Amino acid sequence: MGVILEVKNLTKKYGGLTAVNDFSFEIKRGEFIGLIGPNGAGKTTVFNLISGFQRPNSGTIRFDGKDITGMAPYKIVNLGVARTFQLVRSFKLLTLLDNISVSCLSSRGKKVAKGHGVDEYASTILASVGLVDKARIPPIILPHGDLRKLQIGKALGTNPQLLLLDEPFSGLSHEEQDVITDLIIKLHDDGVTVFMTGHVLRELMHLVPRVIAMHQGKFIMDGTPQEVAKNKIVLEAYLGKGEVFA
Amino acid sequence: MNKKLNYKIYRSDENMERSTKRILAIVLVIAVAGAGLGIGLWFVFAPQESIFETPGVSGVSDDRLIKIGLLGGITEIQGEGNYEGAWLAAYNINQAGGVQVNGTTYYIGLVAEDTDESNPVLDVTKGVSAAEKIIEVDGAEYIIGGFRTEALKAYVEVVMDAKKLFLGTGASTDYFCGNVYGEAYSSYTRYKYWFRTMPINSSALGGSQITIMAYLGGYLSAVLAKPVTKVAILREALDWTIPMANALNTYLPYYGFTIVADIQYPITATATDFATYWNQIEGLDAQITIPVISAQGGLYMMSQYAALQPQCLIVGIDVQSQLDTFWTDTSGDCKYETIMQSVHRTNKSDLTIAFWDDFVATFDHEPLYTAVGAYDSVNLIADGINATGSFKAQRLITWLESFTRSSPMIGKSVTASHIAWNPSHDLEVGWPFGTTLYCQWQADGSKHVITSGNLLYPDSIVTGPISLPPWGIND
Amino acid sequence: MSAKSLSKGKGRVKKKLSGSKSYLLNWSKTFRGRLTIICLIGLCLIPLLTQNRYYLGIFITAMIFSIFAASWDFLAGFTGQVSFGQAIFFGISGYITSYFIRYLYLPWWASLLIGSLVGVAFGLLIGIPALRLKGPYLGLATMVLGLIMFYTFLNVKFEPWLGGSEGISKIPQISRNAVETYYIHLIFMITSFLILIWIGKSKMGTVFKSIRDDDIGAEASGINLTKYKLIAFMISAFFAGIAGGLFAMHNRGVNPGVFQPLYSFYAIVMASLGGIATISGSALGSYFFWFAAELFSEWPDVSVFIFAIILILVIRFAEHGILKPVLERLKDIWDLVLGK
């Protein structure tokens, strides 16, 4: 299994504040991996840097051996790195089918959709995230759980190799979390490398075999959830929140 | 049981309500369709009441009318003047018994449409639409008017398409007469319907300005006992001022003048801007300033002139200043300004003073140049129809063309004793043909025709001496 | 290519065609479709009612501005790029069309095409700042660019090249026959609307709308914003250019006034009145505007005032324009008549 994502010495500063500080890690193809840290640790910034929505001050990001540091977001997507957002984003006035179609119309999505036709391909994806019966309605009237599914569907439309999921469980009930969890596991089984964040450890504990922990923009450790949970710095970082194993 | 009954009653109520609504809706649809059809049919078939105004007479049937259409920005001074001049001429002709053609009496009928051309935010569709309406709907046979070149350029084509006689009373550019003859892309067959009756063309205005400068230079040098040679030009940044500025810049040096400044200002300039221009002009010791202004700048120019008192005399073009209300508009700040004006209350022709007094008595203000032009134009059309015994544009064109410099029309116009047209259908210029007067605002709150040293017009029609600002003239 | 794959390809084309046919058939059976068809037939029959140049002229002006307003609606309603400088494309095409007719003696349709294509080039040019600017900033920037065009063409110094304050004149009409001119404009309007609506419904239209709804989301879906925004600007500029060229011919020439913010505002007002992101609403807005303008033509200042009040009322009570509510009311009444 080769390395799919290699992040080296990544640093991002906002004025005097260092959001991400000399951060390095590797992800292997087919891995299922989490990025944890308390609120404000810099997880979203890391995702923004990888997906190209922000440029790092220094450091390199290599995807599949190719340097993608500072590349335009849509180019990175078309190389095979798709992402979702912590706050759900959708095309409010388009139908769910069209929401997915947009991704299928990206240059990477098109290659897959070619044989089937965009609508058909988009329906398949919509079915896989469990929204096919709502294909003709716009997202403004969807419940939050469905919006999270739509997010993943939109990412899938671009046929990603690496999927970055930013807080995919945020704001969901336990039942909804379970549905999304099943969906993510299925995606991973299908061969997508999944990299997800979460600020509540419990969500990730039973899901991912490997976790990267960060705090105040810095890399703390890399290991199994059990190892991470025992780590002193991680515990300190979460201390007082009472959320570690809650 | 009871419940069921209630329910039934309720149901039938609802049904009734529905059917009532349905009937109402059907009635509504039929009513709207009927009204639409009715309006449409009325529009097409209704006998149209005459929309022509017949000043001085009433109850004239449409087929006894000489239908004259007036085009201009009705709500602005040029268009208003055009209408007033035409109205007065029509009134006089109709009162005097109309126009006799082959034993039948015809009267002048007027209709006006608004081209909205004086609007600073110009929409040429308004002019084109007005021209189409006046010809195609109102049924005007002869057109009088036009002022702003950009707008007129569009709708003159509509009038030429319709082959109607168009007497221009407002635009001084050479362009329209150039269409008739003598310039690139001119086409006599297409544009022969255009004649200018007012004002004299912009190159002639340039010639007049150079002549008056030559005279004033000598006069002021003698009176002030010092050389008066420094001239500033202050003009609005519009195309029509370019030939004028070129002429001044080229020819004034031959008469010993130096152009110390040639300022172009945007037509949106404000009072503050004019203070700057005057300071600039004063800094260069200009002795005479030539304004070339058709739009709203004149007022600011004069208020700042009175406030800053630059030591120079103003002699040039300022259309706003042609209005008699300019004195009150500027609270007398326009004193000492000398401007070109086509007509004033003086014996330019034998008819001028009578016309002037008649006009002032009717409208309670002095006529603008478009009013004078429209007055002449209506008379020309009436005279032409009378003389040729025909209403055809082509006959009138031939008749108008018969007046040349060597065989002019004499004693018919209020603007000049002699009227004639050159091959491009432009007014012949130079006393006793079309000339411009130089009028100065003086202490009594009115304008006086000043001397041109017999160069532009004879001193016999001068109505007052030149008056110099008490704050002096630069060395 | 094998015979099999060829026939397969043919089959797909056939399927697509029949698909669109049944779509049209279904559409023509809807209330909206029927009303549209009735309106179109009505427009076709107008010249039977009157051949008067003036009345047809109002329709022609309204049709020209329908295209212009629709071009703005396409950009703002579909792609979310609110331009206050739509007159740039309108004006430049007016100038180029006039120039080619007047000085190079090209036929009007060729000149119009060239004019519109130059409009497209300007669309590309103006689209570039749009890549970085959003919302009111884009509006402001495009308005300033429009003013720059206005003052550049007005500038006396450029008079020998750009025609100065009086522009280019003596452009012949498309046809001396008013009825013929009317039908040519009608064809232009219908064709433009069909193309714009078709693009709106196409996959590319979906991408445009996604940019309108959420540009970051669109980029995260792998959409090249630069490319699509520029394409949208170019398409919009093309149709604004068609309108500008027709406008120049209808008014026998152009002057720098065509670049005035006035015309950009006309487009915005008409499209907003009819309903943004509807395309056909632009026609409703434009007809309404020009009929009102002619009705009040004797009081041009008042007409602007009245129109402003109407617009304020529309924005207050029907912020998505009058097209949709009017259609709904009409449908309600019609359903009642049919007893549904």
Side-chain angles (χ1 to χ4, degrees):
Chain A
M1 276 206 292
V3 173
I4 192 165
L5 186 75
E6 182 192 13
V7 172
K8 245 189 201 163
N9 310 110
L10 202 62
T11 301
K12 175 71 188 175
K13 290 175 184 165
Y14 299 108
L17 184 88
T18 307
V20 177
N21 196 350
D22 201 24
F23 202 75
S24 305
F25 64 90
E26 278 184 2
I27 297 176
K28 294 199 175 63
R29 188 177 295 279
E31 254 194 300
F32 194 178
I33 181 166
L35 176 63
I36 64 154
N39 274 332
K43 301 181 300 279
T44 299
T45 309
V46 169
F47 270 25
N48 283 346
L49 293 171
I50 296 171
S51 58
F53 283 91
Q54 286 174 335
R55 281 167 169 273
N57 295 78
S58 61
T60 54
I61 306 159
R62 300 178 81 82
F63 172 72
D64 216 6
K66 196 178 175 191
D67 189 355
I68 58 165
T69 321
M71 222 181 232
Y74 78 92
K75 283 188 183 159
I76 295 176
V77 173
N78 288 322
L79 286 173
V81 184
R83 70 167 292 182
T84 66
F85 295 86
Q86 184 171 359
L87 297 169
V88 288
R89 310 192 78 103
S90 61
F91 308 125
K92 292 180 196 66
L93 302 176
L94 299 184
T95 62
L96 293 198
L97 188 69
D98 281 347
N99 263 271
I100 309 279
S101 296
V102 173
S103 317
C104 305
L105 289 162
S106 67
S107 45
R108 188 180 174 83
K110 257 188 219 162
K111 281 180 201 145
V112 189
K114 225 181 196 171
H116 317 274
V118 169
D119 283 344
E120 207 172 311
Y121 181 52
S123 320
T124 321
I125 290 169
L126 214 47
S128 74
V129 297
L131 289 171
V132 77
D133 50 331
K134 295 175 179 169
R136 297 281 164 204
I137 62 169
I140 29 176
I141 51 174
L142 283 190
H144 192 67
D146 283 352
L147 285 173
R148 288 276 169 208
K149 289 184 200 162
L150 179 64
Q151 288 257 291
I152 295 171
K154 278 164 71 182
L156 289 181
T158 63
N159 184 32
Q161 294 182 51
L162 172 62
L163 187 58
L164 309 174
L165 302 172
D166 197 357
E167 303 271 1
F169 304 119
S170 158
L172 295 184
S173 68
H174 287 292
E175 290 76 20
E176 287 172 330
Q177 284 187 15
D178 291 343
V179 175
I180 299 285
T181 305
D182 289 347
L183 183 59
I184 296 172
I185 291 171
K186 197 174 152 280
L187 287 177
H188 180 243
D189 289 349
D190 288 348
V192 180
T193 309
V194 177
F195 185 28
M196 61 194 286
T197 68
H199 69 275
V200 182
L201 254 182
R202 187 199 59 207
E203 294 165 353
L204 291 170
M205 281 309 256
H206 308 293
L207 200 56
V208 294
R210 183 180 155 220
V211 176
I212 295 168
M214 72 184 296
H215 181 45
Q216 291 178 343
K218 281 188 193 140
F219 177 86
I220 298 173
M221 73 163 299
D222 180 348
T224 63
Q226 288 72 22
E227 286 166 0
V228 171
K230 283 176 202 148
N231 185 284
K232 232 179 178 182
I233 312 173
V234 175
L235 283 174
E236 267 170 30
Y238 277 99
L239 204 68
K241 307 228 171 202
E243 291 182 37
V244 184
F245 293 105
Chain B
M1 185 69 199
N2 217 353
K3 245 184 190 172
K4 219 172 187 178
L5 199 71
N6 271 344
Y7 177 71
K8 254 189 177 168
I9 291 169
Y10 171 74
R11 280 290 301 207
S12 74
D13 259 13
E14 197 186 40
N15 273 338
M16 246 171 80
E17 203 181 323
R18 274 197 72 85
S19 56
T20 320
K21 268 190 181 166
R22 185 177 173 188
I23 290 164
L24 279 177
I26 291 171
V27 169
L28 184 72
V29 167
I30 291 171
V32 168
L37 195 70
I39 290 171
L41 288 177
W42 175 79
F43 207 62
V44 179
F45 295 112
Q48 285 243 329
E49 224 174 284
S50 178
I51 41 146
F52 284 89
E53 188 187 0
T54 50
V57 285
S58 58
V60 184
S61 73
D62 238 30
D63 54 350
R64 288 282 181 279
L65 284 184
I66 295 168
K67 296 174 178 171
I68 296 179
L70 305 170
L71 286 177
I74 293 174
T75 54
E76 293 290 334
I77 54 170
Q78 285 86 4
E80 201 176 25
N82 191 49
Y83 175 80
E84 290 169 343
W87 192 92
L88 187 59
Y91 181 86
N92 289 342
I93 292 168
N94 290 346
Q95 280 270 297
V99 183
Q100 308 298 323
V101 185
N102 307 325
T104 316
T105 308
Y106 290 83
Y107 294 93
I108 305 288
L110 299 177
V111 64
E113 292 295 346
D114 195 349
T115 57
D116 200 26
E117 63 193 275
S118 304
N119 195 331
V121 184
L122 178 71
D123 180 3
V124 288
T125 46
K126 299 270 164 59
V128 168
S129 185
E132 276 173 350
K133 188 173 183 195
I134 213 165
I135 291 168
E136 304 287 340
V137 179
D138 303 344
E141 288 296 328
Y142 316 95
I143 306 296
I144 295 174
F147 158 64
R148 181 151 164 200
T149 313
E150 297 93 304
L152 183 53
K153 268 186 164 181
Y155 68 74
V156 77
E157 301 293 333
V158 177
V159 182
M160 297 302 120
D161 276 344
K163 302 189 190 304
K164 304 289 180 200
L165 192 67
F166 192 161
L167 304 183
T169 56
S172 72
T173 171
D174 292 341
Y175 172 84
F176 300 103
C177 293
N179 280 345
V180 183
Y181 178 78
E183 283 194 17
Y185 302 103
S186 65
S187 162
Y188 176 78
T189 336
R190 176 168 173 77
Y191 294 103
K192 64 184 175 187
Y193 303 91
W194 165 269
F195 282 83
R196 175 148 54 198
T197 59
M198 186 59 89
I200 62 172
N201 65 54
S202 52
S203 18
L205 295 178
S208 305
Q209 184 68 28
I210 290 159
T211 310
I212 195 83
M213 291 298 289
Y215 170 71
L216 280 177
Y219 170 82
L220 291 175
S221 301
V223 172
L224 301 169
K226 62 185 174 193
V228 172
T229 56
K230 284 171 281 188
V231 175
I233 301 169
L234 180 55
R235 59 185 169 110
E236 55 193 15
L238 289 179
D239 282 5
W240 76 273
T241 67
I242 299 172
M244 180 86 178
N246 288 345
L248 293 174
N249 279 305
T250 311
Y251 292 106
L252 283 183
Y254 288 113
Y255 294 90
F257 289 102
T258 318
I259 313 283
V260 294
D262 181 359
I263 301 170
Q264 294 175 53
Y265 71 86
I267 50 171
T268 48
T270 61
T272 330
D273 297 323
F274 276 95
T276 315
Y277 305 141
W278 278 128
N279 284 328
Q280 186 183 347
I281 288 168
E282 182 65 0
L284 293 164
D285 291 331
Q287 294 161 309
I288 300 176
T289 295
I290 305 175
V292 189
I293 302 176
S294 71
Q296 280 79 358
L299 207 134
Y300 296 133
M301 174 178 76
M302 290 321 295
S303 63
Q304 292 306 309
Y305 175 77
L308 299 169
Q309 305 194 334
Q311 295 185 311
C312 64
L313 196 64
I314 302 175
V315 184
I317 299 177
D318 179 0
V319 174
Q320 243 187 341
S321 185
Q322 293 178 10
L323 291 174
D324 54 356
T325 51
F326 197 62
W327 181 268
T328 39
D329 289 346
T330 58
S331 329
D333 285 347
C334 60
K335 193 155 66 166
Y336 310 114
E337 185 188 20
T338 303
I339 53 146
M340 284 187 193
Q341 192 161 314
S342 298
V343 177
H344 200 61
R345 194 182 181 283
T346 187
N347 274 322
K348 216 179 167 197
S349 85
D350 294 341
L351 306 173
T352 314
I353 290 178
F355 157 74
W356 190 273
D357 292 344
D358 191 9
F359 191 95
V360 173
T362 311
F363 297 108
D364 210 25
H365 61 82
E366 295 174 2
L368 196 71
Y369 74 103
T370 50
V372 182
Y375 185 87
D376 267 358
S377 298
V378 171
N379 280 309
L380 278 174
I381 291 168
D383 287 349
I385 290 170
N386 196 11
T388 58
S390 163
F391 298 100
K392 293 214 169 70
Q394 184 53 55
R395 296 287 296 276
L396 290 175
I397 292 168
T398 314
W399 180 74
L400 288 168
E401 282 175 344
S402 72
F403 299 105
T404 61
R405 208 167 181 101
S406 49
S407 66
M409 180 191 295
I410 299 172
K412 289 285 191 183
S413 158
V414 296
T415 40
S417 64
H418 291 44
I419 292 283
W421 286 271
N422 69 16
S424 62
H425 292 182
D426 200 357
L427 283 174
E428 289 284 4
V429 293
W431 186 270
F433 292 92
T435 36
T436 185
L437 303 174
Y438 277 87
C439 300
Q440 187 181 35
W441 283 105
Q442 296 186 353
D444 61 353
S446 67
K447 273 176 283 190
H448 295 268
V449 181
I450 61 162
T451 175
S452 66
N454 281 319
L455 293 175
L456 291 172
Y457 42 85
D459 277 350
S460 60
I461 67 166
V462 167
T463 62
I466 299 170
S467 133
L468 296 180
W471 54 82
I473 299 291
N474 277 318
D475 291 333
Chain C
M1 201 190 260
S2 73
K4 203 180 163 192
S5 72
L6 205 75
S7 70
K8 204 175 155 192
K10 248 186 196 165
R12 199 188 297 151
V13 171
K14 222 177 212 172
K15 193 178 156 197
K16 241 185 184 169
L17 275 177
S18 66
S20 67
K21 205 188 247 170
S22 72
Y23 171 77
L24 269 182
L25 207 68
N26 282 332
W27 173 80
S28 69
K29 279 178 188 160
T30 63
F31 178 72
R32 205 177 162 154
R34 279 189 183 149
L35 202 66
T36 310
I37 288 167
I38 289 171
C39 286
L40 287 179
I41 292 171
L43 279 178
C44 289
L45 295 181
I46 291 286
L48 295 182
L49 216 63
T50 174
Q51 288 88 42
N52 190 299
R53 303 189 79 80
Y54 166 68
Y55 295 122
L56 292 183
I58 300 174
F59 279 91
I60 289 170
T61 308
M63 289 193 272
I64 293 170
F65 277 89
S66 298
I67 301 173
F68 185 44
S71 82
W72 181 85
D73 189 26
F74 177 82
L75 195 58
F78 284 176
T79 323
Q81 309 297 303
V82 179
S83 144
F84 279 68
Q86 201 69 359
I88 298 171
F89 318 130
F90 185 74
I92 197 69
S93 170
Y95 263 92
I96 300 291
T97 305
S98 304
Y99 182 85
F100 275 85
I101 294 176
R102 175 78 147 75
Y103 298 110
L104 302 176
Y105 310 106
L106 252 62
W108 66 267
W109 51 268
S111 307
L112 180 60
L113 186 68
I114 295 168
S116 306
L117 290 177
V118 174
V120 170
F122 271 73
L124 191 65
L125 225 63
I126 307 295
I128 290 168
L131 301 175
R132 296 248 168 257
L133 299 171
K134 282 185 191 175
Y137 302 102
L138 173 64
L140 210 61
T142 46
M143 190 163 100
V144 168
L145 286 169
L147 284 172
I148 290 173
M149 293 294 281
F150 178 47
Y151 285 111
T152 306
F153 274 79
L154 200 58
N155 197 310
V156 173
K157 290 195 188 80
F158 302 135
E159 202 255 340
W161 302 285
L162 302 180
S165 65
E166 289 164 13
I168 303 173
S169 50
K170 284 199 238 179
I171 308 303
Q173 279 180 290
I174 287 180
S175 160
R176 267 297 289 144
N177 183 332
V179 175
E180 202 178 307
T181 313
Y182 176 89
Y183 281 118
I184 289 170
H185 282 84
L186 185 62
I187 290 167
F188 267 105
M189 184 184 84
I190 294 174
T191 316
S192 303
F193 273 50
L194 284 179
I195 294 172
L196 286 172
I197 291 171
W198 174 73
I199 294 175
K201 289 198 187 299
S202 73
K203 293 296 165 211
M204 196 196 273
T206 308
V207 174
F208 288 147
K209 289 173 190 168
S210 77
I211 295 171
R212 171 197 66 191
D213 285 358
D214 177 10
D215 54 347
I216 292 174
E219 187 144 34
S221 295
I223 297 302
N224 182 348
L225 291 189
T226 308
K227 181 176 131 191
Y228 281 98
K229 277 187 186 177
L230 288 181
I231 291 175
F233 262 95
M234 283 155 72
I235 293 172
S236 171
F238 180 80
F239 288 100
I242 293 275
L246 292 174
F247 177 84
M249 288 187 275
H250 183 61
N251 289 301
R252 277 64 155 200
V254 281
N255 63 61
V258 288
F259 292 110
Q260 288 174 118
L262 175 78
Y263 291 113
S264 300
F265 287 125
Y266 273 4
I268 296 171
V269 164
M270 289 166 193
S272 318
L273 196 70
I276 288 175
T278 58
I279 299 295
S280 23
S282 298
L284 190 69
S286 175
Y287 278 99
F288 186 85
F289 182 94
W290 287 107
F291 289 153
E294 279 310 316
L295 217 58
F296 299 116
S297 67
E298 282 176 50
W299 314 281
D301 304 333
V302 183
S303 85
V304 171
F305 180 67
I306 291 171
F307 211 79
I309 290 179
I310 292 173
L311 189 67
I312 290 167
L313 289 177
V314 166
I315 290 167
R316 170 66 186 81
F317 293 106
E319 56 176 325
H320 300 300
I322 51 175
L323 181 70
K324 277 180 183 160
V326 162
L327 281 178
E328 278 162 19
R329 291 291 157 278
L330 283 178
K331 187 167 168 25
D332 287 349
I333 292 173
W334 192 239
D335 282 349
L336 267 174
V337 168
L338 295 180
K340 273 185 194 164

